[in-house]
Amino acid sequence: MAVDELDTRILRLLLEQPRTSVREYARILGVARGTLQARLDRMEREGVITGTGPALSPAALGHPVLAFVHIEVTQGHLDEVGDALAAVPEIVEAFSITGGGDLLTRVVARDNAHLEDVIQKLIGMPGVVRTRTEVALRERVPHRLLPLVESIGRSAGS
């Protein structure tokens, strides 16, 4: 989907001020509330906006350890393992990947012993051949999309 300059201004506001009302967004942007709502609805329908819930901190929820676990899967069992991963609450993301391994998961844990328990659970899943774990030491660039939105906005304005 192509986004124009107004779309990028809307997205910027959503990222910077997520708890503001649609009416207030319209006032800030100087557009009619109906126009803003139509833009939001279109961006949701086309998958640009994928959620509106709060961003949560696993560390603040008692899970300060973050690890990336690469999982090698027996050929033909990728879907089964993917479904099994969805049942593990400490796995907050999982992706099919190319390169070393078949799946990459982002795992959170209470401490290193808990992380080991989660990894042992993964190793015991049918279809899992082996895992490789990398523990994150410090977040250097937090998850962000505003720089991308601004870059797209600059391109749309050109």
Side-chain angles (χ1 to χ4, degrees):
M1 174 194 149
V3 295
D4 63 16
E5 190 175 348
L6 177 56
D7 291 333
T8 59
R9 289 174 54 214
I10 292 168
L11 293 171
R12 180 185 180 103
L13 271 177
L14 288 173
L15 292 169
E16 290 179 337
Q17 302 176 34
R19 300 182 81 174
T20 304
S21 70
V22 172
R23 181 183 309 220
E24 183 62 13
Y25 287 143
R27 187 193 67 71
I28 292 168
L29 293 169
V31 298
R33 185 182 181 285
T35 299
L36 179 68
Q37 190 63 59
R39 295 284 186 121
L40 290 170
D41 291 346
R42 178 179 51 84
M43 287 190 282
E44 285 180 10
R45 190 173 52 253
E46 295 185 8
V48 173
I49 298 172
T50 59
T52 57
L56 304 177
S57 165
L61 292 169
H63 289 68
V65 176
L66 170 63
F68 298 93
V69 179
H70 298 258
I71 302 172
E72 188 177 320
V73 176
T74 304
Q75 280 191 327
H77 291 82
L78 194 58
D79 289 338
E80 296 164 32
V81 173
D83 291 343
L85 294 176
V88 179
E90 295 86 358
I91 294 179
V92 295
E93 289 182 297
F95 301 91
S96 298
I97 61 169
T98 63
D102 299 299
L103 294 164
L104 175 63
T105 62
R106 192 169 86 153
V107 178
V108 296
R110 294 184 301 274
D111 52 36
N112 287 346
H114 181 220
L115 176 60
E116 182 182 12
D117 293 341
V118 174
I119 293 166
Q120 290 302 318
K121 187 184 300 185
L122 299 179
I123 292 169
M125 288 180 176
V128 172
V129 176
R130 74 178 47 87
T131 65
R132 187 181 89 241
T133 303
E134 298 163 350
V135 175
L137 300 176
R138 180 181 299 162
E139 183 177 65
R140 299 294 180 167
V141 178
H143 179 74
R144 68 206 178 121
L145 291 173
L146 186 54
L148 176 64
V149 168
E150 289 173 338
S151 172
I152 293 167
R154 283 191 296 273
S155 297
S158 307

